[in-house]
Amino acid sequence: MSAAETEVGPDSGPGLRERKKQRTRDALVRAALTLFTSNGYEHTTVDEIAEAVEVSQRTFFRYFAGKEDAAFAVHRIAEAHFIQAVRGRPPHEAPLEALRQAVLEGWHTIHEAVESVVPAELQMRMYHLIESTPTLLAAHMRRSAETEEAVARLIAEREGVDVDRDLRPRVVVALFSGLMRLAERRWGAGSDMSVAAMHELTSTYLDAMGPALAGSWRTERP
Amino acid sequence: MSAAETEVGPDSGPGLRERKKQRTRDALVRAALTLFTSNGYEHTTVDEIAEAVEVSQRTFFRYFAGKEDAAFAVHRIAEAHFIQAVRGRPPHEAPLEALRQAVLEGWHTIHEAVESVVPAELQMRMYHLIESTPTLLAAHMRRSAETEEAVARLIAEREGVDVDRDLRPRVVVALFSGLMRLAERRWGAGSDMSVAAMHELTSTYLDAMGPALAGSWRTERP
DNA sequence: GAGGCTAGTGACAGCCACTGACAATTGACA
DNA sequence: TGTCAATTGTCAGTGGCTGTCACTAGCCTC
C-alpha cells in the first residue's frame, strides 16, 4: 500500500471510480445552473437536469439533497474560502477590520476557485436568479446564517472570548453580515459585477455604518 | 343598505359568510400549529390539518398559499403591528432610537393581538420549531428581509431622504434587524419567554453594539 | 487473474405538496 | 323564492423526493 502510494506518483490519487463521480457531479451542477438560469428555477424539473447529463433522476438525488442543494453548489465553495480568509487574518487586527479585509482580499481567490467549476458569467446569472426567486432567496439567507455562526465562533476564538458568554462576537458578525448582504444585493442589481465593484460597495456600506447610527440625520454639525 | 347598517348594530359588520370564513381560517391555523408543534413540521401533512378541521385539502390551499404560509399566520400579525409601532414614533426621535422604542413599546400590543388567535404557549412552541426546522427558518428569514425593506422605506420617508440614494435607511435597519434576530434567537433558546425578558434582551444587544465595534477587544482603556 | 465485495446506478413504486377544472352547495340579495 | 356569485368538494395530474431491489463495474484479496 505505502509502496504504491509513493511509487505511482501524484496523479494516482483518486481512482477511476472517484474521478467518474466528480465528473458526473460537475456535469450535474453545470447542467442545473444552465437550465435554472435559462428557464427559471421553478420551471426546471429534476428530470430535465438528469436527462441533460444522461443519468437517472434517482442518481441526481444521490449527489444532491435536492434541487435547491444543486443551486448552491458554487456558493458552498465561496463560503469555505471566506472562512479561510478570516482565519488567515493577522491576530492584531480589530475584529471588524479583519472581517473587512477578509472579504476584500479573499474575493480574488474566491472568484478563481468558482470559475474553475462554472464560467463566471453563469454564476453571475445565478446571483440574479437567487435574488428573484423566493425559494432560493430563503435558502440563501439560511445558509448565510449558518456561515455567520461559524464566523462568530472564529472571531471569538481569535479574540479569546467565550462565544456564549460574550455578546460581541455574534454582534459584530451580525452587523457586518447585514452590511455585506446590502452590498451583495446592490452588486447583483447593478450591471458592473466585477470584483472591483464589489470592493467599492463593501467599503461604501461599511463606511456608512457610522453616519447611519448618528443621533439625528437632519441636524448638520453646527 | 345604509339602513341595515345603521339599524342592526355593530355586530352586523361581517355577514354570515364572512364570519364562517374567518372561523374556518382560525381553526386551520390552530390545527396547523397544534399539529406542527406536537408532531413536527415535516411530519405533518396538509391532509391531516384539513381533516382536523373537517374540510377538504383543496380548501386548505384556498386559505393558505402552502403549508409554510399557515405556519407564519401569527407572525404576519406581529409584523404588521411592528410596522404600525414604527409609524407611530414621534418624528423627533433618532432613527435607531425610534426602532428601539417601537419594539419595546409595541411588544405588549403584539402579544395581545397574537393571543387573540392562538394561545401564547402554542406560539412560543412555534418559535422553537421555526428555529429548529431548516425549511421554516429559511422562510422566516426571507420574511424578515421583506419586513426590513418595508421598515427601511418607512425610516427614509420619516427622515425625508431617498431610500435608493441615501444608504443610511437600509443600513440602520439592517444593523437593527441583525441585533433583533440575535435577541430573538436567545429569547427562544431560554426558558423565560416573557415580554419582560424580550425587553431586556433587546436592550442588552443594542447596547452591545458600541463595544463590539470598538477597535480592539483586548486592550483596556489606559 | 478469478472470484468476491461494494459503491454507484437504473427502474419502479409510492408519498406528499400543490394546481387546474368542473360540479355541487350555500349565503346574499333582489 | 329564484337568481347570482362566492365557497367548497371531487377528481385528476404534476413534480419533488424517498425506499427498495436488482444489476453493473471498479476494486481488492488470495
Short mmCIF file of all heavy atoms in Angstrom, two decimals, chain A residues 17 20 62, chain C residues 4-11, chain D residues 21-27:
data_model
loop_
_atom_site.label_atom_id
_atom_site.label_comp_id
_atom_site.label_asym_id
_atom_site.label_seq_id
_atom_site.Cartn_x
_atom_site.Cartn_y
_atom_site.Cartn_z
N ARG A 17 -13.06 5.28 -10.27
CA ARG A 17 -14.39 5.44 -9.71
C ARG A 17 -14.61 6.88 -9.22
O ARG A 17 -15.60 7.53 -9.52
CB ARG A 17 -14.52 4.50 -8.51
CG ARG A 17 -15.93 4.10 -8.20
CD ARG A 17 -15.94 3.05 -7.11
NE ARG A 17 -16.63 1.84 -7.49
CZ ARG A 17 -16.61 0.73 -6.77
NH1 ARG A 17 -15.91 0.65 -5.67
NH2 ARG A 17 -17.28 -0.33 -7.16
N LYS A 20 -14.75 9.54 -12.01
CA LYS A 20 -16.02 9.49 -12.73
C LYS A 20 -17.12 10.20 -11.93
O LYS A 20 -17.93 10.94 -12.47
CB LYS A 20 -16.41 8.03 -13.00
CG LYS A 20 -17.67 7.90 -13.85
CD LYS A 20 -17.95 6.47 -14.22
CE LYS A 20 -19.23 6.39 -15.08
NZ LYS A 20 -19.51 5.01 -15.52
N ARG A 62 -28.78 11.28 -5.50
CA ARG A 62 -27.69 10.67 -4.75
C ARG A 62 -26.53 11.65 -4.63
O ARG A 62 -25.69 11.55 -3.75
CB ARG A 62 -27.25 9.38 -5.43
CG ARG A 62 -28.29 8.27 -5.26
CD ARG A 62 -27.67 6.90 -5.48
NE ARG A 62 -28.67 5.85 -5.22
CZ ARG A 62 -29.39 5.28 -6.18
NH1 ARG A 62 -29.22 5.59 -7.44
NH2 ARG A 62 -30.27 4.34 -5.85
P DG C 4 -17.10 -16.40 -5.85
OP1 DG C 4 -17.51 -17.70 -5.29
OP2 DG C 4 -17.85 -15.82 -6.99
"O5'" DG C 4 -17.09 -15.33 -4.68
"C5'" DG C 4 -16.12 -15.44 -3.61
"C4'" DG C 4 -15.88 -14.07 -3.00
"O4'" DG C 4 -15.26 -13.22 -3.98
"C3'" DG C 4 -17.17 -13.37 -2.55
"O3'" DG C 4 -16.94 -12.81 -1.27
"C2'" DG C 4 -17.37 -12.29 -3.61
"C1'" DG C 4 -15.95 -11.96 -4.01
N9 DG C 4 -15.79 -11.40 -5.35
C8 DG C 4 -16.23 -11.96 -6.53
N7 DG C 4 -15.93 -11.24 -7.59
C5 DG C 4 -15.27 -10.13 -7.06
C6 DG C 4 -14.70 -9.00 -7.72
O6 DG C 4 -14.68 -8.75 -8.91
N1 DG C 4 -14.12 -8.13 -6.81
C2 DG C 4 -14.08 -8.32 -5.45
N2 DG C 4 -13.47 -7.36 -4.75
N3 DG C 4 -14.59 -9.36 -4.82
C4 DG C 4 -15.17 -10.23 -5.68
P DC C 5 -18.08 -12.13 -0.47
OP1 DC C 5 -17.93 -12.48 0.96
OP2 DC C 5 -19.36 -12.40 -1.17
"O5'" DC C 5 -17.71 -10.60 -0.64
"C5'" DC C 5 -16.39 -10.16 -0.30
"C4'" DC C 5 -16.33 -8.65 -0.48
"O4'" DC C 5 -16.15 -8.34 -1.89
"C3'" DC C 5 -17.60 -7.92 -0.03
"O3'" DC C 5 -17.21 -6.84 0.81
"C2'" DC C 5 -18.25 -7.47 -1.33
"C1'" DC C 5 -17.06 -7.33 -2.26
N1 DC C 5 -17.37 -7.53 -3.70
C2 DC C 5 -16.93 -6.58 -4.64
O2 DC C 5 -16.31 -5.59 -4.24
N3 DC C 5 -17.20 -6.78 -5.96
C4 DC C 5 -17.87 -7.85 -6.34
N4 DC C 5 -18.09 -8.01 -7.66
C5 DC C 5 -18.34 -8.83 -5.41
C6 DC C 5 -18.06 -8.63 -4.11
P DT C 6 -18.32 -6.00 1.59
OP1 DT C 6 -17.75 -5.61 2.90
OP2 DT C 6 -19.60 -6.75 1.53
"O5'" DT C 6 -18.45 -4.68 0.71
"C5'" DT C 6 -17.28 -4.02 0.27
"C4'" DT C 6 -17.66 -2.93 -0.72
"O4'" DT C 6 -17.88 -3.51 -2.04
"C3'" DT C 6 -18.95 -2.17 -0.38
"O3'" DT C 6 -18.72 -0.80 -0.65
"C2'" DT C 6 -19.97 -2.76 -1.34
"C1'" DT C 6 -19.08 -2.99 -2.56
N1 DT C 6 -19.60 -3.96 -3.54
C2 DT C 6 -19.38 -3.72 -4.89
O2 DT C 6 -18.79 -2.76 -5.31
N3 DT C 6 -19.90 -4.68 -5.73
C4 DT C 6 -20.60 -5.81 -5.37
O4 DT C 6 -21.02 -6.59 -6.22
C5 DT C 6 -20.81 -5.99 -3.95
C7 DT C 6 -21.56 -7.19 -3.45
C6 DT C 6 -20.30 -5.07 -3.12
P DA C 7 -19.57 0.31 0.10
OP1 DA C 7 -18.89 0.65 1.36
OP2 DA C 7 -20.99 -0.10 0.12
"O5'" DA C 7 -19.38 1.52 -0.91
"C5'" DA C 7 -18.14 1.68 -1.58
"C4'" DA C 7 -18.37 2.23 -2.97
"O4'" DA C 7 -18.87 1.18 -3.84
"C3'" DA C 7 -19.39 3.36 -3.04
"O3'" DA C 7 -18.94 4.30 -3.99
"C2'" DA C 7 -20.68 2.67 -3.50
"C1'" DA C 7 -20.12 1.57 -4.41
N9 DA C 7 -20.93 0.35 -4.47
C8 DA C 7 -21.50 -0.30 -3.41
N7 DA C 7 -22.16 -1.39 -3.77
C5 DA C 7 -22.01 -1.43 -5.14
C6 DA C 7 -22.47 -2.34 -6.11
N6 DA C 7 -23.20 -3.41 -5.82
N1 DA C 7 -22.15 -2.10 -7.40
C2 DA C 7 -21.41 -1.03 -7.68
N3 DA C 7 -20.91 -0.10 -6.85
C4 DA C 7 -21.25 -0.37 -5.59
P DG C 8 -19.74 5.62 -4.30
OP1 DG C 8 -18.78 6.66 -4.70
OP2 DG C 8 -20.68 5.84 -3.18
"O5'" DG C 8 -20.56 5.20 -5.58
"C5'" DG C 8 -19.85 4.90 -6.77
"C4'" DG C 8 -20.82 4.64 -7.88
"O4'" DG C 8 -21.48 3.37 -7.64
"C3'" DG C 8 -21.94 5.68 -8.00
"O3'" DG C 8 -21.98 6.07 -9.37
"C2'" DG C 8 -23.20 4.94 -7.57
"C1'" DG C 8 -22.85 3.50 -7.90
N9 DG C 8 -23.51 2.49 -7.08
C8 DG C 8 -23.64 2.47 -5.71
N7 DG C 8 -24.26 1.40 -5.27
C5 DG C 8 -24.57 0.69 -6.42
C6 DG C 8 -25.24 -0.56 -6.57
O6 DG C 8 -25.72 -1.29 -5.70
N1 DG C 8 -25.35 -0.92 -7.92
C2 DG C 8 -24.86 -0.18 -8.96
N2 DG C 8 -25.05 -0.68 -10.17
N3 DG C 8 -24.22 0.98 -8.83
C4 DG C 8 -24.12 1.35 -7.54
P DT C 9 -23.03 7.16 -9.86
OP1 DT C 9 -22.43 7.87 -11.01
OP2 DT C 9 -23.54 7.93 -8.71
"O5'" DT C 9 -24.19 6.25 -10.42
"C5'" DT C 9 -23.89 5.33 -11.48
"C4'" DT C 9 -25.09 4.47 -11.77
"O4'" DT C 9 -25.35 3.61 -10.65
"C3'" DT C 9 -26.39 5.23 -12.00
"O3'" DT C 9 -26.62 5.30 -13.39
"C2'" DT C 9 -27.45 4.38 -11.27
"C1'" DT C 9 -26.68 3.18 -10.76
N1 DT C 9 -27.09 2.68 -9.43
C2 DT C 9 -27.74 1.48 -9.34
O2 DT C 9 -28.01 0.79 -10.30
N3 DT C 9 -28.06 1.11 -8.06
C4 DT C 9 -27.82 1.81 -6.89
O4 DT C 9 -28.16 1.38 -5.81
C5 DT C 9 -27.14 3.06 -7.06
C7 DT C 9 -26.81 3.91 -5.87
C6 DT C 9 -26.80 3.45 -8.31
P DG C 10 -27.88 6.12 -13.94
OP1 DG C 10 -27.54 6.60 -15.29
OP2 DG C 10 -28.34 7.06 -12.91
"O5'" DG C 10 -28.94 4.95 -14.08
"C5'" DG C 10 -28.58 3.75 -14.75
"C4'" DG C 10 -29.77 2.81 -14.81
"O4'" DG C 10 -29.98 2.22 -13.50
"C3'" DG C 10 -31.10 3.47 -15.18
"O3'" DG C 10 -31.83 2.57 -16.02
"C2'" DG C 10 -31.80 3.67 -13.84
"C1'" DG C 10 -31.30 2.47 -13.04
N9 DG C 10 -31.20 2.68 -11.61
C8 DG C 10 -30.68 3.77 -10.96
N7 DG C 10 -30.70 3.65 -9.65
C5 DG C 10 -31.26 2.41 -9.43
C6 DG C 10 -31.54 1.73 -8.21
O6 DG C 10 -31.32 2.12 -7.06
N1 DG C 10 -32.11 0.48 -8.45
C2 DG C 10 -32.39 -0.04 -9.68
N2 DG C 10 -32.94 -1.24 -9.69
N3 DG C 10 -32.13 0.58 -10.83
C4 DG C 10 -31.57 1.79 -10.62
P DA C 11 -33.19 3.03 -16.71
OP1 DA C 11 -33.09 2.56 -18.12
OP2 DA C 11 -33.43 4.46 -16.43
"O5'" DA C 11 -34.29 2.17 -15.97
"C5'" DA C 11 -34.04 0.79 -15.67
"C4'" DA C 11 -35.20 0.24 -14.87
"O4'" DA C 11 -34.94 0.45 -13.46
"C3'" DA C 11 -36.55 0.91 -15.16
"O3'" DA C 11 -37.57 -0.08 -15.21
"C2'" DA C 11 -36.72 1.88 -13.99
"C1'" DA C 11 -36.03 1.12 -12.86
N9 DA C 11 -35.49 1.96 -11.80
C8 DA C 11 -34.88 3.18 -11.95
N7 DA C 11 -34.48 3.71 -10.81
C5 DA C 11 -34.86 2.78 -9.86
C6 DA C 11 -34.72 2.75 -8.46
N6 DA C 11 -34.14 3.72 -7.75
N1 DA C 11 -35.21 1.66 -7.81
C2 DA C 11 -35.78 0.69 -8.51
N3 DA C 11 -35.97 0.61 -9.85
C4 DA C 11 -35.48 1.70 -10.45
P DC D 21 -36.39 -4.79 -0.75
OP1 DC D 21 -37.43 -5.61 -0.10
OP2 DC D 21 -35.10 -4.53 -0.08
"O5'" DC D 21 -36.09 -5.40 -2.19
"C5'" DC D 21 -36.91 -5.05 -3.30
"C4'" DC D 21 -36.15 -5.23 -4.59
"O4'" DC D 21 -35.58 -3.95 -4.99
"C3'" DC D 21 -34.95 -6.19 -4.48
"O3'" DC D 21 -34.92 -7.03 -5.62
"C2'" DC D 21 -33.75 -5.26 -4.42
"C1'" DC D 21 -34.23 -4.14 -5.35
N1 DC D 21 -33.51 -2.86 -5.16
C2 DC D 21 -33.31 -2.02 -6.27
O2 DC D 21 -33.75 -2.36 -7.36
N3 DC D 21 -32.64 -0.85 -6.09
C4 DC D 21 -32.18 -0.53 -4.88
N4 DC D 21 -31.53 0.63 -4.76
C5 DC D 21 -32.38 -1.37 -3.74
C6 DC D 21 -33.04 -2.52 -3.92
P DA D 22 -34.12 -8.40 -5.59
OP1 DA D 22 -35.08 -9.49 -5.35
OP2 DA D 22 -32.93 -8.25 -4.72
"O5'" DA D 22 -33.63 -8.48 -7.10
"C5'" DA D 22 -34.41 -7.90 -8.14
"C4'" DA D 22 -33.50 -7.25 -9.16
"O4'" DA D 22 -32.98 -6.00 -8.62
"C3'" DA D 22 -32.27 -8.10 -9.52
"O3'" DA D 22 -32.08 -8.06 -10.91
"C2'" DA D 22 -31.12 -7.40 -8.77
"C1'" DA D 22 -31.58 -5.95 -8.84
N9 DA D 22 -31.01 -5.07 -7.83
C8 DA D 22 -30.92 -5.29 -6.48
N7 DA D 22 -30.35 -4.31 -5.82
C5 DA D 22 -30.05 -3.38 -6.80
C6 DA D 22 -29.43 -2.12 -6.74
N6 DA D 22 -29.00 -1.55 -5.61
N1 DA D 22 -29.28 -1.44 -7.91
C2 DA D 22 -29.71 -2.01 -9.04
N3 DA D 22 -30.32 -3.19 -9.21
C4 DA D 22 -30.45 -3.83 -8.04
P DC D 23 -31.05 -9.06 -11.62
OP1 DC D 23 -31.78 -9.66 -12.77
OP2 DC D 23 -30.41 -9.91 -10.60
"O5'" DC D 23 -29.96 -8.06 -12.21
"C5'" DC D 23 -30.39 -6.95 -13.01
"C4'" DC D 23 -29.23 -5.99 -13.18
"O4'" DC D 23 -28.99 -5.29 -11.95
"C3'" DC D 23 -27.90 -6.67 -13.55
"O3'" DC D 23 -27.35 -6.02 -14.68
"C2'" DC D 23 -27.04 -6.49 -12.30
"C1'" DC D 23 -27.60 -5.18 -11.76
N1 DC D 23 -27.36 -4.94 -10.30
C2 DC D 23 -26.78 -3.73 -9.90
O2 DC D 23 -26.49 -2.88 -10.75
N3 DC D 23 -26.55 -3.51 -8.57
C4 DC D 23 -26.88 -4.46 -7.69
N4 DC D 23 -26.64 -4.19 -6.40
C5 DC D 23 -27.47 -5.69 -8.08
C6 DC D 23 -27.69 -5.90 -9.39
P DT D 24 -26.29 -6.77 -15.63
OP1 DT D 24 -26.92 -6.90 -16.96
OP2 DT D 24 -25.75 -7.95 -14.92
"O5'" DT D 24 -25.13 -5.70 -15.76
"C5'" DT D 24 -25.46 -4.31 -15.87
"C4'" DT D 24 -24.37 -3.48 -15.24
"O4'" DT D 24 -24.43 -3.56 -13.80
"C3'" DT D 24 -22.94 -3.93 -15.61
"O3'" DT D 24 -22.32 -2.85 -16.28
"C2'" DT D 24 -22.29 -4.26 -14.28
"C1'" DT D 24 -23.13 -3.46 -13.30
N1 DT D 24 -23.16 -3.93 -11.89
C2 DT D 24 -22.74 -3.07 -10.90
O2 DT D 24 -22.34 -1.96 -11.12
N3 DT D 24 -22.83 -3.59 -9.63
C4 DT D 24 -23.28 -4.84 -9.28
O4 DT D 24 -23.32 -5.19 -8.09
C5 DT D 24 -23.70 -5.68 -10.35
C7 DT D 24 -24.20 -7.06 -10.07
C6 DT D 24 -23.63 -5.19 -11.60
P DA D 25 -20.91 -3.08 -17.05
OP1 DA D 25 -21.02 -2.33 -18.33
OP2 DA D 25 -20.57 -4.51 -17.03
"O5'" DA D 25 -19.88 -2.31 -16.11
"C5'" DA D 25 -20.22 -1.05 -15.55
"C4'" DA D 25 -19.21 -0.72 -14.47
"O4'" DA D 25 -19.56 -1.43 -13.27
"C3'" DA D 25 -17.78 -1.14 -14.79
"O3'" DA D 25 -16.92 -0.23 -14.16
"C2'" DA D 25 -17.67 -2.49 -14.13
"C1'" DA D 25 -18.44 -2.21 -12.86
N9 DA D 25 -18.96 -3.37 -12.16
C8 DA D 25 -19.40 -4.53 -12.70
N7 DA D 25 -19.81 -5.41 -11.82
C5 DA D 25 -19.63 -4.76 -10.62
C6 DA D 25 -19.87 -5.13 -9.28
N6 DA D 25 -20.38 -6.32 -8.95
N1 DA D 25 -19.57 -4.24 -8.31
C2 DA D 25 -19.06 -3.07 -8.66
N3 DA D 25 -18.79 -2.59 -9.87
C4 DA D 25 -19.10 -3.49 -10.81
P DG D 26 -15.59 0.25 -14.88
OP1 DG D 26 -15.93 0.99 -16.11
OP2 DG D 26 -14.66 -0.90 -14.95
"O5'" DG D 26 -15.06 1.29 -13.79
"C5'" DG D 26 -13.89 0.98 -13.14
"C4'" DG D 26 -14.05 1.14 -11.64
"O4'" DG D 26 -15.00 0.17 -11.13
"C3'" DG D 26 -12.73 0.87 -10.93
"O3'" DG D 26 -12.60 1.72 -9.83
"C2'" DG D 26 -12.85 -0.59 -10.52
"C1'" DG D 26 -14.35 -0.71 -10.23
N9 DG D 26 -14.89 -2.03 -10.45
C8 DG D 26 -15.12 -2.65 -11.65
N7 DG D 26 -15.63 -3.85 -11.53
C5 DG D 26 -15.75 -4.03 -10.16
C6 DG D 26 -16.26 -5.14 -9.43
O6 DG D 26 -16.71 -6.20 -9.87
N1 DG D 26 -16.20 -4.91 -8.06
C2 DG D 26 -15.74 -3.77 -7.48
N2 DG D 26 -15.77 -3.74 -6.15
N3 DG D 26 -15.27 -2.72 -8.14
C4 DG D 26 -15.31 -2.92 -9.48
P DC D 27 -11.16 2.02 -9.29
OP1 DC D 27 -11.20 3.35 -8.63
OP2 DC D 27 -10.19 1.74 -10.37
"O5'" DC D 27 -10.99 0.90 -8.18
"C5'" DC D 27 -11.90 0.88 -7.07
"C4'" DC D 27 -11.67 -0.36 -6.25
"O4'" DC D 27 -12.31 -1.49 -6.88
"C3'" DC D 27 -10.20 -0.75 -6.05
"O3'" DC D 27 -9.93 -0.79 -4.66
"C2'" DC D 27 -10.09 -2.13 -6.72
"C1'" DC D 27 -11.53 -2.62 -6.59
N1 DC D 27 -11.94 -3.68 -7.57
C2 DC D 27 -12.55 -4.84 -7.09
O2 DC D 27 -12.75 -4.99 -5.87
N3 DC D 27 -12.92 -5.80 -7.97
C4 DC D 27 -12.71 -5.62 -9.28
N4 DC D 27 -13.12 -6.60 -10.11
C5 DC D 27 -12.09 -4.45 -9.79
C6 DC D 27 -11.73 -3.51 -8.90
#
